[in-house]
Structure formats: C-alpha cells, structure tokens
C-alpha cells in the first residue's frame, strides 16, 4: 500500500525531476491534515459496527425490496454477506483516509468488483448507496467529536462510488 508521499515521490522520480513548489505544497497539505485523518480513522475504528448497522438500516429502509423474498439481501446468508461487504468498504476507506491516497482502494477493493457484481447479479446501485450512507454517517460522527473540516473523508468514499457505478459505454 502506498500513501500520498510515496506516490508523489514515485511520480517525480519516474520523470527525473526535483520536487517543485507543487510537490512541496502537496506534501505540506498531507502533513497538515495528518491529525484529522488519524482522528477520522480512530472514529471509524471505534464505531465501525454501529456505522455498518445504522447504514444497513437506512439502506433497507430506503430500499425494502432488497430484504423481501427475491431481493438480493433476502435470506440470512445474503444479508450477512451484504453487511460483510459494507464493513469491508468502510475498513478500506479508513486505510485510504490514513494514507491520504485512494490507491489502496484500487489495488485491494475495486479491481474487477463491478464485473464480479454484474456476473453474480448483485445490484450495484444499492452498493453505491450504502457507501454514500456510510460516508455521511462517518462525517456526522466526526462532527460530533468537534471536527469542523471532515473533507478528508470524502475522497475514499467518493472514489469507491465513482469507480463501481454503472457507466454508459
């Protein structure tokens, strides 16, 4: 897993350039937001089960057909798989928040995910919605801790929803 620093250095190393003003500003921003990113990961870690539970209740409240007979989360096994996947997305989002970079999501979560869901007949829209709900819940919990700027949470969740969303070809 790479973080924002190693990705930046790699980019400059490949092109054979010294770090310029843009690179220095990017590094400064990364370090300036470090405490907030660590706090966000701590809040996620301490509340992961509650976040997943609350997100699933909201998702199934909005889309009750998912848990009805014939729905993709109908049966205990499918329901548990849905919760497991939500926890998985939340955990990897926390890794990306700490790293200040979304590459871990591409490497460990997103490669082939849309294709896998399509081949299994798993609807993508509810998955995207669950990720959006978890993002909102995390931001709400961070606000309760007094964190005013919760923007460090946006990139990982937005990246996941963008990458697994349906696309017109």
């Amino acid at each position: 897993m790479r973080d924002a620093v190693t990705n930046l250095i790699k980019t400059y190393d490949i092109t054979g350039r010294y770090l310029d003003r843009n690179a220095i500003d990017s590094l400064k921003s990364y370090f300036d937001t470090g405490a907030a990113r660590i706090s966000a990961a701590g809040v996620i870690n301490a509340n992961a089960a509650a976040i997943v539970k609350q997100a699933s209740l909201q998702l199934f409240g909005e889309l009750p057909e998912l848990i009805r007979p014939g729905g993709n989360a109908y049966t205990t096994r499918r329901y548990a798989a849905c919760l497991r996947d939500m926890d998985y997305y939340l955990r990897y989002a926390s890794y990306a928040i700490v790293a200040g970079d979304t590459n871990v999501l591409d490497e460990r979560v997103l490669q082939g995910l849309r294709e896998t869901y399509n081949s299994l007949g798993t609807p993508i829209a509810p998955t995207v919605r669950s990720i959006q709900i978890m993002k909102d819940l995390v931001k709400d919990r961070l606000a309760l801790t007094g964190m005013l700027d919760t923007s460090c949470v946006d990139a990982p969740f937005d990246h996941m929803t963008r990458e697994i969303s349906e696309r017109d070809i």
Side-chain angles (χ1 to χ4, degrees):
M1 179 174 92
R2 296 180 309 243
D3 61 16
V5 174
T6 55
N7 281 329
L8 179 82
I9 291 171
K10 179 182 175 188
T11 300
Y12 277 78
D13 184 44
I14 288 171
T15 58
R17 297 183 301 154
Y18 288 96
L19 298 178
D20 58 17
R21 189 76 199 144
N22 290 336
I24 300 299
D25 289 344
S26 180
L27 289 171
K28 183 179 181 327
S29 174
Y30 173 78
F31 290 117
D32 287 348
T33 61
R37 289 183 286 106
I38 297 298
S39 292
V43 167
I44 291 171
N45 180 51
N47 299 286
I51 292 167
V52 170
K53 180 180 179 180
Q54 191 175 356
S56 68
L57 291 173
Q58 185 175 336
L59 175 69
F60 297 133
E62 292 175 10
L63 302 168
E65 63 274 9
L66 291 171
I67 55 175
R68 292 186 184 136
N72 210 60
Y74 181 69
T75 74
T76 304
R77 183 184 60 80
R78 286 181 164 186
Y79 186 85
C82 180
L83 296 180
R84 177 206 60 212
D85 288 353
M86 290 172 73
D87 185 68
Y88 187 68
Y89 302 134
L90 183 62
R91 181 167 44 95
Y92 273 97
S94 73
Y95 297 164
I97 290 167
V98 170
D101 192 280
T102 59
N103 280 323
V104 67
L105 300 172
D106 296 330
E107 295 169 3
R108 307 280 172 91
V109 178
L110 298 172
Q111 280 185 348
L113 183 65
R114 185 177 343 104
E115 293 79 10
T116 300
Y117 274 11
N118 285 332
S119 71
L120 294 173
T122 302
I124 292 175
T127 302
V128 169
R129 182 64 188 130
S130 71
I131 293 168
Q132 292 168 337
I133 292 169
M134 287 190 294
K135 171 185 150 182
D136 294 340
L137 293 173
V138 168
K139 291 180 79 137
D140 290 347
R141 286 187 182 263
L142 289 172
L144 291 174
T145 68
M147 185 182 289
L148 301 176
D149 182 8
T150 60
S151 61
C152 64
V153 171
D154 294 334
F157 289 97
D158 293 347
H159 183 74
M160 282 190 287
T161 58
R162 185 175 48 255
E163 290 301 311
I164 64 173
S165 293
E166 297 290 341
R167 296 188 179 135
D168 291 338
I169 298 178

